Structure formats: C-alpha cells, structure tokens
Amino acid sequence: MTEEAVTAHTLTPVLRVLRSCLHLMVAALLALAAVRALAEHAPDAPAVLATAVALFAVYATGPRLPRLRSSTGAAALWLAAVALLWTVLLALTQDGVWLAFPLFFVQLHLLPLRGALPAVVATTVVAVAGFGWHTHTLSVGTVLGPALGAAVAVAVVLGYEALYRESEQRRRLIEELTAARSELAAAEHAAGVLAERERLAREIHDTLAQGLSSIQLLLRAAERALPQRPGTALGHVRQARTAAVGNLAEARRFVRALSPPDLEAGSLPAALERLCATTARTSPLAVHCQVSGVPTALPTAHEVALLRIAQSALANTVRHAGAGRAELTLSYMDTEVALDVVDDGAGFVPAEVPAPGSAAARGTGFGLAAMRARARALQGTLVVESAPGEGTAVAVTLPCPATASVPAPSVPDPAPDPAPDATPEAAS
C-alpha cells in the first residue's frame, strides 16, 4: 500500500480494531509455542522461550515507531528483523508455522503491493519448508495449508482495499455534491436577488420616476401661472397631487408584486386609452390610441409588460422627443400581440444611447434597457427605429397562447381633470 493509503487507514476505526486483534493473535501464538515447548520438556525449550520473547519484543516495538508508517525502507527493515526471528523460532519448533498467517497481514499492510506479494510468497515457502523439516514429510496438506492461508490473507487485504477505495470515491462524490448544492443554492439566491432588484428598478422607472417627472412638470407650470392665473395654477397643483397619490399606490403595489390598478379596473385596451388620455391631459403631447384585430384575454404578465412599456415610451416622448403627436397601436394577431408607439419628435441614434450605469449615461438610458428586459423576459422582441429629425418608433412583439376572444371594451371619452381627492389614473 502507498504511504497515503497507510496514513488514511490508520485513521479508520475498523482497521484499528483489526490491527489490535492481529497483535493479540501474534502474542497468543508466541505464548502457545513457548508454553508447549515448556510443557513437553523439549530440550530446546529455553531457546524457544528466549526466541519467542525476543520476537515479541521486536514485534511490539513496531507500532511505536512512527517511521514505519511513513517510510517503506524502515518498514522493510523491521519486517526483515521479525522474519529472521520467526525463522529461528520455526527452526526450533514446528508451532512457529502458525505465525506465518498474521505475518502475511503485516507484510501486506506495511509494504506496497509489488513488494508485499514477494514477501508473502517467501514467507509461505519458509513456512512449508520449516513444517516439512520438522515432520520429515512434504504432503499436499503441508503445502496447501500455508498456501491457502497466504491466498486468504491476500484476498482479504485486496478486498478491503477495493471496498476502501469505493468508500473514498463515494465520500468524495458526496462532498462534491454537497459543495455543488451549496454553490447552486448561493447562485440561485444571487440570481433571485438580482432578478428582484431588476424588477424593482423597472417598476420604479416606469412608475415612480415617470410620476415624479410629471409632478415636476405640473408644479413648474403652476409656478409659471402664479400669480397672474391662480385658477390655472390650482388646477396644475391638483393634478400634481393626484399624480403623487397615484404613484404612492403604484409603489405599494409593485413592492407586493401586484398588478397595476388600471389593469385591475379593466382590460389592457382600456388601460392604454386611459394612459393616452392622461398623457395628453398632463403634457402638450397629442396622443391617439387605436386597437387592431380582435382583443383576446392575455396572461397578466403580458398585459403588465405592455402597459409598462407604453408608459415608459410615452414618458420618453414627453421628456426627450419634443414631439407634438404620438400614435399608440395595440395589434392582436393569431399567435402574437404587438404594441407600437410612434412619435414625430426630434429622434435620435439608437446605437449611440449609452448603457445604463455607464459614465456617459448620467441617469439616462435605463428606459430602453428596461423595455427590452420586459420583452425578453416573455420571449418577445423590442425594436427601436429612429433617426435625427425623423421621429421615433418603438415596436414590441410578444408571443401569446391562443385564447378565446373577448368583446372589445368601449373606449370612454377622455375624462376631465380629477378632483383633488380622487384616485389617480396611471401616470406616465
């Protein structure tokens, strides 16, 4: 066995018990040989006793020598001394042949397999020759006895080695699986945290950020109207207050991952109509909404994504495009639903929009990234077409399951400005 195997085996509780039993067997066989020689009053009884004591002393010092476990050379020298004394004992009494069996295990335990097998064969030959010399015969039993003992010892040790290697492989596999499971759990936790962070970022951009921008515009308009037009200023303040109340409700809803209030109050086409009406009422932008195809019931995630994308696209038009008119079209098709938002504003170069978080972004660019992320999360696509002076077109297409058609909702006329304490509509 290798040095690593020996070191590992010394830590095995089962192996420690087996080694203790092996040491007891050696002591018992030596005592048996000495007692029988003394009991039979053999002429060489004193020599047998002295050799047995010497052999036990040398054998007993082995487990107390640390180098035997770390050095094959030291183990070979110690085994040579034990084998020499055993050979002397075998020459004095045939009872020494029984010590060959524990010696097989000691040799297989301390030496590498390529050195242990020759040592076992040599020990077997000496045992057969010594026993035959004492009995003056060399029968089949005389040869098979030690040979079978050596074969059993080799089979037991090799079998134990195979079981030990398999056990170690399983232990390492379990450790790897445990580590992989821990890493997977950590990765899933990190992915969940990142996904929730992205969701909150999108919701904040599409609701609170747009609402605060609308409130800021309304308050600036009220500031310009004062003091000459107090009635107009009061109307702007009321609209700003309504927008603030609405954004507070939106914040509470997206923290709890609830649907927007516009979708809870009606269908997606109706929510888009109200969005267009609110945008036209709170900004100089003229917004027109139309529905193409037969409206069908969509999954809630699709309706939320389309509404949020429409809010973000119209908010970008109001803040950056300087447009006078915008067209919003919701198209129902057999297996897809599409939303197009087109304006006649200043336009821009989509490839030159800095990535969110970069030094050049300066707080901009997250709207397009959030819209793309919403579309991508539902296996959809979002395309932005624009050029300086030619307006902007935002087109999102989402695959949707085939569902039964529902009657198209009636489109209400744009509602008048809400009262100060009324529940607000979705702000851009």
Side-chain angles (χ1 to χ4, degrees):
M1 289 187 287
T2 63
E3 176 184 338
E4 295 180 356
V6 171
T7 304
H9 282 193
T10 58
L11 302 177
T12 305
V14 175
L15 186 62
R16 285 199 295 267
V17 173
L18 293 178
R19 289 179 60 189
S20 299
C21 293
L22 184 65
H23 298 334
L24 291 175
M25 181 186 298
V26 171
L29 291 175
L30 286 173
L32 176 64
V35 169
R36 287 192 60 179
L38 293 174
E40 294 176 357
H41 303 287
D44 52 1
V48 171
L49 178 60
T51 305
V53 172
L55 178 57
F56 179 77
V58 173
Y59 181 86
T61 58
R64 294 174 174 80
L65 298 176
R67 286 186 56 81
L68 291 183
R69 303 178 183 179
S70 59
S71 174
T72 303
L77 290 176
W78 178 76
L79 285 174
V82 171
L84 179 61
L85 290 173
W86 169 72
T87 303
V88 173
L89 181 65
L90 181 61
L92 294 175
T93 174
Q94 64 180 10
D95 293 334
V97 72
W98 304 112
L99 286 167
F101 188 69
L103 284 180
F104 294 151
F105 287 100
V106 175
Q107 292 164 348
L108 291 168
H109 176 69
L110 292 180
L111 298 178
L113 189 61
R114 62 178 181 274
L117 291 180
V120 169
V121 171
T123 302
T124 305
V125 171
V126 172
V128 171
F131 190 75
W133 182 72
H134 281 287
T135 59
H136 305 290
T137 59
L138 194 62
S139 63
V140 175
T142 304
V143 177
L144 287 182
L148 287 178
V152 169
V154 171
V156 169
V157 171
L158 294 181
Y160 177 83
E161 287 292 321
L163 291 176
Y164 180 80
R165 286 193 298 269
E166 183 177 355
S167 175
E168 282 296 294
Q169 291 175 356
R170 290 182 178 180
R171 182 184 61 80
R172 287 192 294 267
L173 179 60
I174 291 174
E175 290 178 352
E176 292 174 359
L177 291 176
T178 303
R181 184 172 61 181
S182 300
E183 293 175 359
L184 179 60
E188 289 179 349
H189 175 72
V193 171
L194 180 60
E196 181 65 9
R197 185 179 300 169
E198 291 180 352
R199 183 187 75 84
L200 291 177
R202 290 195 300 265
E203 296 293 346
I204 290 174
H205 177 272
D206 295 342
T207 56
L208 297 186
Q210 309 298 353
L212 292 174
S213 177
S214 176
I215 292 171
Q216 183 183 28
L217 294 175
L218 290 169
L219 292 178
R220 284 182 179 177
E223 184 181 11
R224 288 194 299 268
L226 289 174
Q228 290 83 5
R229 293 174 293 165
T232 302
L234 179 59
H236 290 320
V237 171
R238 286 176 176 175
Q239 290 182 5
R241 178 185 175 188
T242 301
V245 174
N247 273 264
L248 179 59
E250 287 279 7
R252 290 169 177 169
R253 286 178 174 273
F254 75 65
V255 166
R256 296 194 300 267
L258 300 178
S259 299
D262 276 355
L263 292 178
E264 290 186 350
S267 64
L268 176 62
L272 293 176
E273 285 287 349
R274 287 192 292 271
L275 171 63
C276 292
T278 302
T279 304
R281 186 171 62 250
T282 58
S283 70
L285 184 67
V287 187
H288 179 257
C289 180
Q290 63 179 351
V291 178
S292 173
V294 180
T296 57
L298 298 174
T300 301
H302 288 60
E303 293 188 343
V304 171
L306 291 173
L307 177 60
R308 294 305 191 203
I309 291 173
Q311 287 177 330
S312 183
L314 288 178
N316 287 342
T317 300
V318 172
R319 294 176 58 187
H320 306 296
R325 182 176 179 80
E327 294 284 342
L328 189 149
T329 304
L330 179 64
S331 303
Y332 289 92
M333 294 170 280
D334 292 339
T335 59
E336 295 177 332
V337 59
L339 176 68
D340 299 282
V341 182
V342 183
D343 66 63
D344 59 356
F348 63 99
V349 180
E352 296 180 356
V353 176
S358 62
R362 296 182 181 179
T364 63
F366 187 79
L368 290 176
M371 288 189 282
R372 287 193 177 94
R374 288 186 184 276
R376 186 168 57 250
L378 298 174
Q379 289 75 48
T381 58
L382 185 136
V383 179
V384 179
E385 297 181 355
S386 183
E390 298 183 6
T392 302
V394 177
V396 59
T397 303
L398 300 179
C400 57
T403 54
S405 62
V406 297
S410 59
V411 178
D413 294 331
D417 292 348
D421 296 330
T423 302
E425 306 298 346
S428 61

